[in-house]
Amino acid sequence: MYNIAVFVHNFSVEYADLVIQGIYRFFADKKNVRVFFTQTETPHIADEMYDYQYWASAEYLKSEVIDEIIIVSNTYCLYKSQDELQEILKPYSSKKIVSIGMKFDNPAIHYTTAKCDEVYDKIVEHLKTEHNCTKISFFSANKIPSQEGAERYQAFQKALKKHGLEFHEEWVLNGAFTKSSALTELKDRYHKKEDVPYEAIICANDLMGMAVLDYFAGLGIKVPSEMKVFGFDNTSHSILSVPSLATVDQSIEEQGYAAAELGYKLLQNDGKKEFELTQTVNTDLKIIYRRSCGCEDLIEQKKRDVFKAATSHYDELRRISNLFDVMKGTASLSDFAESFEAIVDKSGFTKLVVFVLREPVSVLRKDDFVLPDEARLLLHIDIPKRIARYYEDSEFINIKKSLFDKEKSAEESGCFVFQPVFLGTLQYGYLLCKAERTDFGMNSLLLKVITSVIVQAYDYTKTIKQKLLLENMNKELKEKNIDLNISSKTDELTRLLNRRGFMEYGQKLIFFSEEINTDGVVFFADLDGLKSINDRFGHEYGDKAIKAVAEVLRTAFRKMDIIGRLSGDEFGIIASGMDIAFLDKLREKVDKMCLDVSEAYEFPFKLSLSLGAARFTVQSKDLNELLMLADQDLYEQKKIHHERLKI
């Protein structure tokens, strides 16, 4: 079984989507190949909030199990120079490498490309002979180090020279293959119609051609009567624009197919000296004449394309909406596994395998992702085989040697999406997902939803597991409390732990929380005005107030929390797993319960309890120190508490 990783900068770009459609089509019927389509972005990229996290995929796929890398190299040119990209590819030098669109100064890297000299020759000839255009400009991609962009610019200059037309360097506009970069350039160059000195403009891609159509319309330049415009790529934008954009169909999907075919031959003939492969595979380019160059526009075909695009758009919106509805009921990983069959109908994913790291890894934008050594199988879902398993525990595998648990994850051929599982700055692991639908931009969006649910279900499941462990420990502690000398560990008046018991079992709970990677809160509580109660109503009421406080604390806190009476009117509580952000609501809850107890027992005073708190962590875990910090907080809280309750 060959394992091939396909690196693409971003799935949500039409060019990339078409390329990987061709790769998918070639490998769809191959029984000895497993292909992982991988959206990588680039390291530390500033786009979006957390998209830089996708680069972790490239680190995972350095694994020894990967035999070949097919990289859609021209999707990276906006972010990396050729030299930088070649440096990024160095760790994969032991594997076969096929580049789509970019030729590297390395004979070990094979490539496919589309030669554009002939097609630019025909476009210039068409503009000159059919439309009498002799003043022709070019919108380049010279703002970025794109080999593909440079080739188109050079081909344009050759075509002008061949047809006896003058090249004006001052007419050349510089963009970056994006509509936004083109609009910025146009706004800087031209402020009125008269500023534009030429009759036609050839753009290095459709997005920049679209910018020209929009901006020139704003200047009052009529296309095609006053200006002829050509693009390059034949994307859906060119079909749907008004006027429709003349362009070049460079057979993007066929380039992907050709690259896949080349990559497959490299693997099959590895080590056979008698077999030689040419490094370059060329695909044919075809000019599409449309309204923007003054040629006939096929209105009926355009209408059909618009209708098809609109229908597809709303179908995909329904898919996303339905997926959200199905996943609302998912809480734990078991729930997720059980509901995945319903998710398949909404997402188009029939198989899903998820691996998790020993612990989530925090990765900030400025950080390099350091690949952990191990991961374990968490979820294995295969709808055709009726497998839907969540693994609470499984053996760890060495990621650098393999990405799969071969016993539980069947080695099967096919095309998969590979991506890291992350939420925010935390990396949890990675997934392999078999996509039956080949709209990879939509697949990327749907996987964002699915991975978000997986992470939340994972964290929820882990929390529940920790809670059960803590409850069992609490039960064990209570049993030990009975087995040992009860009077030595229990407060006689409240039946809570006394100071000795609280300090012993409380410290154990903090250490245990550290083992399961959980923080928590230590509370220092104080009954307000006990001396006043004793002086005014007698010590009998003082004891009743202390017992009432114990009742409030038992009810306000969880069964797994440890509660103790430290002295006459002072109490301690240890709440593992509690978020300190919850404190304000907890204090309000305790205030209300104190009032309810006061009314229930018909106290001639209002019971009141103040709470100080300190957070315990791996770095701060000494119970004595934590109680001192909580006591200091209590002093400040008493002022606030007494002011609020008018004590």
Side-chain angles (χ1 to χ4, degrees):
M1 180 73 70
Y2 298 123
N3 290 308
I4 301 174
V6 178
F7 285 1
V8 184
H9 184 267
N10 189 337
F11 283 161
S12 302
V13 175
E14 188 171 0
Y15 173 85
D17 188 57
L18 289 170
V19 168
I20 55 184
Q21 294 280 352
I23 298 172
Y24 187 103
R25 180 161 56 86
F26 177 82
F27 286 118
D29 62 349
K30 302 295 183 291
K31 302 301 181 185
N32 61 338
V33 176
R34 185 163 33 193
V35 184
F36 303 110
F37 292 98
T38 309
Q39 175 177 241
T40 67
E41 300 287 350
T42 49
H44 321 300
I45 189 169
D47 289 5
E48 305 302 333
M49 186 71 76
Y50 298 110
D51 279 3
Y52 68 89
Q53 293 274 40
Y54 282 110
W55 181 251
S57 292
E59 297 298 320
Y60 285 113
L61 291 167
K62 289 176 182 176
S63 170
E64 292 177 14
V65 76
I66 300 299
D67 303 300
E68 182 173 81
I69 302 293
I70 298 176
I71 180 168
V72 189
S73 49
N74 47 16
T75 64
Y76 294 84
C77 64
L78 186 60
Y79 310 94
K80 297 291 179 184
S81 68
Q82 181 180 347
D83 289 342
E84 288 173 325
L85 194 55
Q86 187 159 313
E87 191 67 26
I88 284 174
L89 289 174
K90 270 188 177 179
Y92 308 95
S93 58
S94 62
K95 310 175 191 304
K96 305 295 182 185
I97 302 177
V98 175
S99 166
I100 300 177
M102 187 181 290
K103 180 182 178 181
F104 291 94
D105 297 325
N106 182 345
I109 300 178
H110 299 263
Y111 71 100
T112 65
T113 187
K115 296 292 185 182
C116 53
D117 288 5
E118 184 178 345
V119 75
Y120 273 106
D121 178 23
K122 289 180 179 178
I123 290 173
V124 170
E125 181 183 25
H126 175 79
L127 289 171
K128 179 182 178 182
T129 59
E130 297 294 327
H131 301 296
N132 299 313
C133 294
T134 57
K135 299 176 180 179
I136 306 174
S137 170
F138 190 75
F139 213 134
S140 77
N142 290 344
K143 281 189 176 179
I144 56 175
S146 167
Q147 189 178 95
E148 190 175 52
E151 288 173 355
R152 292 175 191 178
Y153 183 37
Q154 292 164 9
F156 166 73
Q157 293 179 67
K158 289 178 184 176
L160 287 184
K161 185 176 182 180
K162 179 178 178 180
H163 293 282
L165 300 179
E166 189 175 352
F167 169 69
H168 294 267
E169 190 172 357
E170 68 275 13
W171 291 357
V172 176
L173 288 85
N174 298 312
F177 279 139
T178 64
K179 190 173 182 179
S180 59
S181 67
L183 285 172
T184 299
E185 177 77 352
L186 288 163
K187 289 174 184 176
D188 288 343
R189 290 285 193 102
Y190 310 124
H191 302 99
K192 57 185 184 296
K193 180 178 179 178
E194 291 72 25
D195 292 339
V196 182
Y198 41 82
E199 307 161 316
I201 182 168
I202 300 172
C203 304
N205 78 339
D206 286 346
L207 288 175
M208 295 195 293
M210 294 290 294
V212 168
L213 293 179
D214 291 348
Y215 191 74
F216 280 3
L219 291 181
I221 299 173
K222 296 177 183 177
V223 177
S225 60
E226 296 177 327
M227 178 69 62
K228 309 294 188 288
V229 183
F230 261 92
F232 199 106
D233 281 341
N234 195 29
T235 63
S236 59
H237 301 87
S238 65
I239 300 170
L240 302 177
S241 65
V242 180
S244 56
L245 181 65
T247 187
V248 175
D249 184 350
Q250 61 165 322
S251 304
I252 299 173
E253 188 173 326
E254 293 308 312
Q255 288 184 49
Y257 190 95
E261 186 175 35
L262 175 59
Y264 191 57
K265 287 179 180 178
L266 285 169
L267 289 173
Q268 285 190 309
N269 294 278
D270 187 24
K272 295 182 180 179
K273 293 182 180 179
E274 70 275 12
F275 185 88
E276 291 186 5
L277 285 169
T278 57
Q279 285 189 314
T280 308
V281 177
N282 292 321
T283 51
D284 295 329
L285 281 71
K286 178 183 177 184
I287 303 172
I288 308 294
Y289 298 107
R290 294 199 181 109
R291 193 62 191 150
S292 71
C293 78
C295 295
E296 188 63 33
D297 189 17
L298 302 176
I299 299 297
E300 289 305 314
Q301 179 61 45
K302 184 176 178 182
K303 285 180 180 178
R304 285 193 292 271
D305 290 333
V306 171
F307 177 76
K308 181 180 177 182
T311 303
S312 174
H313 170 71
Y314 287 109
D315 283 345
E316 297 304 341
L317 287 179
R318 281 192 290 273
R319 279 177 67 194
I320 296 172
S321 177
N322 292 337
L323 181 62
F324 270 112
D325 289 340
V326 170
M327 302 192 81
K328 279 178 185 175
T330 297
S332 68
L333 286 168
S334 295
D335 294 336
F336 181 89
E338 290 172 6
S339 64
F340 194 81
E341 189 165 1
I343 293 170
V344 169
D345 292 335
K346 315 302 176 188
S347 68
F349 303 128
T350 56
K351 298 176 179 65
L352 176 71
V353 183
V354 180
F355 288 82
V356 289
L357 308 173
R358 281 193 178 273
E359 293 295 339
V361 177
S362 177
V363 185
L364 301 178
R365 190 187 304 278
K366 63 182 176 58
D367 297 338
D368 292 323
F369 175 66
V370 179
L371 184 66
D373 294 327
E374 296 178 316
R376 71 171 183 86
L377 184 63
L378 181 73
L379 284 168
H380 180 203
I381 299 169
D382 187 325
I383 298 305
K385 295 181 180 178
R386 306 194 68 79
I387 298 171
R389 290 286 308 278
Y390 151 58
Y391 295 90
E392 185 173 336
D393 292 299
S394 56
E395 289 187 11
F396 282 88
I397 61 169
N398 185 316
I399 304 174
K400 294 173 183 176
K401 293 187 176 297
S402 180
L403 296 167
F404 324 109
D405 184 328
K406 294 179 181 178
E407 292 181 6
K408 297 188 176 98
S409 305
E411 281 203 49
E412 60 176 310
S413 62
C415 295
F416 298 80
V417 176
F418 181 98
Q419 72 171 51
V421 175
F422 65 90
L423 189 64
T425 61
L426 289 179
Q427 285 273 349
Y428 286 77
Y430 56 95
L431 64 78
L432 323 170
C433 193
K434 191 161 191 179
E436 302 302 331
R437 291 187 175 98
T438 57
D439 181 347
F440 283 86
M442 183 55 63
N443 287 343
S444 174
L445 181 57
L446 294 172
L447 279 173
K448 283 190 175 185
V449 178
I450 290 173
T451 53
S452 177
V453 173
I454 288 173
V455 168
Q456 291 178 52
Y458 175 73
D459 283 342
Y460 175 79
T461 303
K462 191 174 180 181
T463 300
I464 293 300
K465 185 178 178 181
Q466 290 171 352
K467 183 179 178 182
L468 290 173
L469 286 170
L470 289 170
E471 286 178 347
N472 290 335
M473 180 185 175
N474 196 43
K475 182 179 178 182
E476 182 183 337
L477 291 174
K478 287 182 178 179
E479 289 173 354
K480 284 183 179 179
N481 196 39
I482 293 169
D483 293 339
L484 297 170
N485 186 346
I486 294 176
S487 62
S488 69
K489 303 289 178 69
T490 307
D491 176 62
E492 187 175 350
L493 179 63
T494 62
R495 307 310 299 167
L496 297 173
L497 290 169
N498 60 19
R499 186 178 187 89
R500 177 185 172 189
F502 177 81
M503 297 302 291
E504 179 182 338
Y505 295 130
Q507 189 65 72
K508 285 183 179 179
L509 177 57
I510 292 172
F511 288 152
F512 179 72
S513 299
E514 180 189 2
E515 289 178 13
I516 59 173
N517 197 31
T518 299
D519 297 341
V521 182
V522 171
F523 292 91
F524 196 100
D526 179 74
L527 169 59
D528 294 317
L530 177 61
K531 184 177 185 303
S532 176
I533 294 171
N534 285 334
D535 291 346
R536 294 178 61 194
F537 306 106
H539 286 275
E540 182 181 350
Y541 267 108
D543 288 347
K544 286 181 179 179
I546 291 170
K547 291 173 71 175
V549 167
E551 183 180 330
V552 167
L553 292 176
R554 283 193 187 96
T555 307
F557 287 89
R558 305 164 298 182
K559 289 182 179 179
M560 65 183 187
D561 298 330
I562 289 181
I563 306 169
R565 184 184 178 197
L566 306 181
S567 66
D569 59 353
E570 295 175 339
F571 298 82
I573 306 99
I574 299 174
S576 180
M578 181 176 286
D579 189 341
I580 203 161
F582 179 66
L583 294 192
D584 287 342
K585 289 185 178 179
L586 178 64
R587 288 185 175 110
E588 290 175 9
K589 179 181 178 182
V590 167
D591 287 344
K592 185 178 184 306
M593 292 176 66
C594 284
L595 289 175
D596 291 343
V597 168
S598 298
E599 291 177 8
Y601 288 107
E602 298 181 347
F603 286 155
F605 52 85
K606 287 184 179 178
L607 191 70
S608 174
L609 184 66
S610 296
L611 285 170
R615 181 166 173 259
F616 69 78
T617 64
V618 174
Q619 292 76 29
S620 178
K621 55 191 175 185
D622 182 270
L623 182 51
N624 281 305
E625 292 179 3
L626 290 162
L627 284 171
M628 288 175 62
L629 291 172
D631 190 20
Q632 292 171 15
D633 183 55
L634 175 67
Y635 180 76
E636 298 299 323
Q637 290 298 327
K638 268 188 176 290
K639 298 176 187 177
I640 301 168
H641 188 229
H642 290 187
E643 176 62 27
R644 185 171 71 246
L645 298 181
K646 305 299 181 186
I647 296 175

